[in-house]
């Protein structure tokens, strides 16, 4: 009797893989002050996070192509092994530089685990059911955002920060076991075409230069380094397009970009993810800096966003069974836009409980939009290109977040600097740093504290106006889709 995939166990493995790669960001954030105290090197601390995202993004499309070329199972297992090795090396690190190098290896593994896991879901489930399963999978990110900081704090306080990395090793081994024994892939006759090495390296160069340019732009503003990296990204982009036109089996077929649905859903995914990073980063800052509440409240008000994401995903799945993709996407975007405009119109002294309502609306809207974009990207291509389509959709979201976190940071800093001109103090940046920590904010004079809170509110208002503009652009792009372009 022919062995078949155990759909339940493989789906559980996919959920665990998603949770493990998602929690890596939140758990490390909590442990970072202790890690810096142990390893020193606060000046390069940001690279512990940045390098993970960079190597992840660089390799995501390559893994997607390989998943289509040689199968999901081997690529997922290779990625998990890399993630385990990187995690073990992180736990063994005794300097900040070795930790950063180890995080790069960890990111290389995560770059395979996440998109290939989503591709496996695409293989196992039909379109309508897939949306619901992807919604359940997305809740792993929400759970990670809640459990990560708590687990990180407990682990650091009890057995030491090294174990926030070591814990990935046994979980990763279980994942390999589940996928190895319970995922059965049909053996198909694939054409023995050479891997597009030239295209792969030029694509990695393009992504590395682009993401580093925005990283440095956010850190130090427009500089020679940023201009050089931008030029490098342009050159790499030209080389990549040339390579893909010549390649027998391109890493990302340029034909995909002639399909309006594929292009639009990936642009919408990037815009929605860019907006989401603004919500995740700056609502906690609003709670602490503007309202003077604890960091715990800052995280708590975002909890409905994660929980209601599942509802949005389920709604999208139900809608996709009866109406066109374009209308499903428009509904999700309109719900998100309602939440975005509500955020823009919130007065400075609004009670923090109102943010539960905003997070609820945004959770439903963004859940519907993200799942619809993923399912649409997968369904708009032939089955043999699903890995590439899924990985590109994941990459689009990563690029959207990377670019917008820098743009929002620049916007916040420029508005803050302009508003602080009227305040007479020697080091105005120190005042803002003091304000966003509720403990140190108490030490500020009441009048000065209230003035600084107004400055921060105005700056955050600018960020959320820009965020709402992203969702409006997504709405317009979706309106441009013709009925013949959708599935």
């Amino acid at each position: 009797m022919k062995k078949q995939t155990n759909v339940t166990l493989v789906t559980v493995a996919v959920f665990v893989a998603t949770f493990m790669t998602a929690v890596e960001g939140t758990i490390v954030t909590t442990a970072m002050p202790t890690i810096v105290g142990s390893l020193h090197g606060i000046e390069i601390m940001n690279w512990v996070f940045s390098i993970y995202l960079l190597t992840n993004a660089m390799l995501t499309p390559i893994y997607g192509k390989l998943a289509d070329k040689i199968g999901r199972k081997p690529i997922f297992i290779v990625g998990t092994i890399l993630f385990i090795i990187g995690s073990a090396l992180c736990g063994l690190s005794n300097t900040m530089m070795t930790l950063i190098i180890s995080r790069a290896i960890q990111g290389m593994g995560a770059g395979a685990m996440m998109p290939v896991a989503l591709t496996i879901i695409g293989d196992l489930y039909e379109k309508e059911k897939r949306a619901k399963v992807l919604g359940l999978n997305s809740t792993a990110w929400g759970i990670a955002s809640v459990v990560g900081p708590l687990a990180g704090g407990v682990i650091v306080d009890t057995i030491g920060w090294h174990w926030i990395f070591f814990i990935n090793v046994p979980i990763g081994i279980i994942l390999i076991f589940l996928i190895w024994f319970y995922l059965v892939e049909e053996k198909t006759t694939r054409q023995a075409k050479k891997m597009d090495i030239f295209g792969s390296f030029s694509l990695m160069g393009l992504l590395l230069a682009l993401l580093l340019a925005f990283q440095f732009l956010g850190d130090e503003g427009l500089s020679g380094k940023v201009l050089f990296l931008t030029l490098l990204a342009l050159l790499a982009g030209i080389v990549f397009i040339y390579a893909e036109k010549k390649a027998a089996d391109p890493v990302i077929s340029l034909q995909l970009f002639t399909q309006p649905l594929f292009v639009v859903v990936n642009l919408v995914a990037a815009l929605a993810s860019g907006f989401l990073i603004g919500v995740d980063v700056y609502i906690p800052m609003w709670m602490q800096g503007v309202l003077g509440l604890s960091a715990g409240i800052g995280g708590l008000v975002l909890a409905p966003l994660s929980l209601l994401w599942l509802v949005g995903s389920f709604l999208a799945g139900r809608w996709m069974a009866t109406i066109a993709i374009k209308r499903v996407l428009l509904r999700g975007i309109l719900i998100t836009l309602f939440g975005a405009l509500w955020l823009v119109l919130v007065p400075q002294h609004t009670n923090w409980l109102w943010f539960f309502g905003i997070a609820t609306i945004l959770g439903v809207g963004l859940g519907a939009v993200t799942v619809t974009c993923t399912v649409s990207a997968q369904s708009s291509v032939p089955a043999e290109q699903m890995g590439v389509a899924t990985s590109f959709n994941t990459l689009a979201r990563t690029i959207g977040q990377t670019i917008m976190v820098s743009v929002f940071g620049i916007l916040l800093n420029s508005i803050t600097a302009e508003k602080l001109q009227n305040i007479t103090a020697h080091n105005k940046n120190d005042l803002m740093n003091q304000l966003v920590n509720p403990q140190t904010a108490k030490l500020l004079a009441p009048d000065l504290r209230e003035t600084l809170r107004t400055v921060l509110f105005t700056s955050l208002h600018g960020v959320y106006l820009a965020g709402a503009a992203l969702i409006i652009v997504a709405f317009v792009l979706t309106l441009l889709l013709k009925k013949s372009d959708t599935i």
Side-chain angles (χ1 to χ4, degrees):
M1 185 178 173
K2 186 180 177 182
K3 187 180 178 182
Q4 291 187 323
T5 294
N6 187 318
V7 175
T8 302
L9 286 177
V10 171
T11 303
V12 168
V14 167
F15 288 179
V16 173
T18 301
F19 176 79
M20 191 163 73
T21 52
V23 81
E24 203 53 41
T26 55
I27 202 169
V28 173
T29 302
T30 307
M32 189 49 62
T34 305
I35 294 173
V36 170
S38 172
L39 302 183
H40 310 294
I42 193 170
E43 67 281 356
I44 55 173
M45 179 184 74
N46 283 347
W47 283 100
V48 174
F49 304 100
S50 301
I51 200 70
Y52 178 84
L53 293 172
L54 280 169
T55 53
N56 187 325
M58 279 173 58
L59 289 170
T60 290
I62 312 302
Y63 285 131
K65 181 64 180 179
L66 288 171
D68 285 337
K69 203 172 179 68
I70 63 176
R72 324 304 191 207
K73 182 191 285 189
I75 300 306
F76 184 87
I77 289 173
V78 167
T80 307
I81 290 170
L82 276 174
F83 190 83
I84 290 171
I85 292 170
S87 297
L89 291 173
C90 284
L92 294 169
S93 296
N94 55 8
T95 67
M96 191 64 86
M97 188 53 69
T98 54
L99 177 62
I100 290 169
I101 293 169
S102 302
R103 284 282 283 175
I105 297 170
Q106 208 182 20
M108 290 166 66
M113 292 172 71
M114 194 63 246
V116 176
L118 294 177
T119 306
I120 290 170
I121 290 176
D123 291 336
L124 295 180
Y125 296 95
E126 292 301 318
K127 187 173 72 172
E128 291 77 16
K129 184 73 180 292
R130 193 189 311 162
K132 295 177 182 179
V133 177
L134 285 171
L136 283 169
N137 189 57
S138 297
T139 59
W141 290 91
I143 295 169
S145 67
V146 176
V147 172
L150 179 62
V154 171
I155 292 171
V156 168
D157 291 340
T158 52
I159 54 178
W161 67 264
H162 303 273
W163 283 93
I164 67 171
F165 299 110
F166 286 148
I167 200 169
N168 291 326
V169 176
I171 298 173
I173 291 170
I174 293 169
L175 282 180
I176 291 172
F177 174 85
L178 290 173
I179 294 297
W180 181 270
F181 286 102
Y182 295 109
L183 176 62
V184 179
E185 289 191 288
E186 292 183 15
K187 291 185 179 179
T188 56
T189 305
R190 291 182 171 91
Q191 293 180 332
K193 293 180 181 177
K194 289 182 180 179
M195 183 66 185
D196 180 17
I197 302 295
F198 191 34
S200 298
F201 277 103
S202 58
L203 177 59
M204 286 193 287
L206 164 62
L207 293 171
L208 178 63
L210 179 69
L211 297 178
L212 278 176
F214 278 98
Q215 172 75 23
F216 287 123
L217 184 66
D219 289 345
E220 55 195 51
L222 193 61
S223 63
K225 194 185 298 181
V226 172
L227 292 173
F228 172 74
L229 285 166
T230 303
L231 180 61
L232 204 60
L234 286 171
L235 290 173
I238 292 168
V239 172
F240 172 68
I241 292 171
Y242 174 80
E244 298 311 272
K245 286 180 177 178
K246 299 290 184 183
D249 188 18
V251 64
I252 298 178
S253 172
L254 298 181
Q255 283 295 113
L256 291 175
F257 301 101
T258 63
Q259 300 177 34
L261 179 62
F262 182 80
V263 173
V264 168
V265 295
N266 282 299
L267 284 172
V268 170
L271 292 165
S273 294
F275 171 73
L276 175 62
I277 196 71
V279 171
D280 283 343
V281 171
Y282 293 109
I283 280 187
M285 185 179 286
W286 188 315
M287 295 301 104
Q288 293 176 247
V290 177
L291 300 181
L293 301 171
S294 67
I297 296 295
L300 183 64
V301 295
L302 289 175
L305 191 152
S306 303
L307 298 173
L308 271 295
W309 193 285
L310 180 61
V311 174
S313 303
F314 277 16
L315 283 174
R318 182 172 293 179
W319 292 337
M320 275 189 271
T322 56
I323 62 174
I325 287 288
K326 176 178 177 178
R327 290 179 62 190
V328 176
L329 202 50
L330 285 173
R331 286 183 183 184
I333 292 171
L334 281 172
I335 294 169
T336 306
L337 183 59
F338 178 73
L341 293 175
W342 188 358
L343 196 53
V344 168
L345 297 172
V346 166
Q348 181 177 342
H349 298 290
T350 299
N351 190 294
W352 65 274
L353 292 171
W354 282 102
F355 286 84
F356 279 113
I358 296 172
T360 297
I361 297 296
L362 292 177
V364 174
L366 288 168
V369 169
T370 304
V371 167
T372 305
C373 287
T374 303
V375 172
S376 301
Q378 292 177 335
S379 303
S380 66
V381 300
E384 62 270 17
Q385 290 185 312
M386 192 185 290
V388 168
T390 307
S391 63
F392 189 83
N393 186 255
T394 305
L395 176 64
R397 296 203 301 268
T398 302
I399 291 174
Q401 292 195 336
T402 305
I403 290 175
M404 289 315 301
V405 78
S406 296
V407 171
F408 287 148
I410 293 166
L411 188 60
L412 183 85
N413 292 335
S414 61
I415 297 173
T416 301
E418 182 186 343
K419 297 297 178 183
L420 285 176
Q421 286 178 355
N422 300 324
I423 297 174
T424 54
H426 290 296
N427 201 330
K428 297 170 185 177
N429 288 331
D430 280 351
L431 289 178
M432 296 306 294
N433 290 330
Q434 196 174 343
L435 177 73
V436 295
N437 183 337
Q439 300 304 316
T440 55
K442 296 174 184 176
L443 304 176
L444 293 167
D447 288 347
L448 177 60
R449 184 170 61 230
E450 194 57 35
T451 301
L452 292 175
R453 282 178 175 170
T454 301
V455 169
L456 182 59
F457 167 76
T458 305
S459 302
L460 290 173
H461 191 258
V463 167
Y464 291 129
L465 270 172
L470 294 180
I471 304 303
I472 291 170
V473 172
F475 181 77
V476 172
L477 284 172
T478 307
L479 280 178
L480 294 176
L481 279 174
K482 298 174 183 175
K483 192 173 182 180
S484 58
D485 297 329
T486 58
I487 50 179

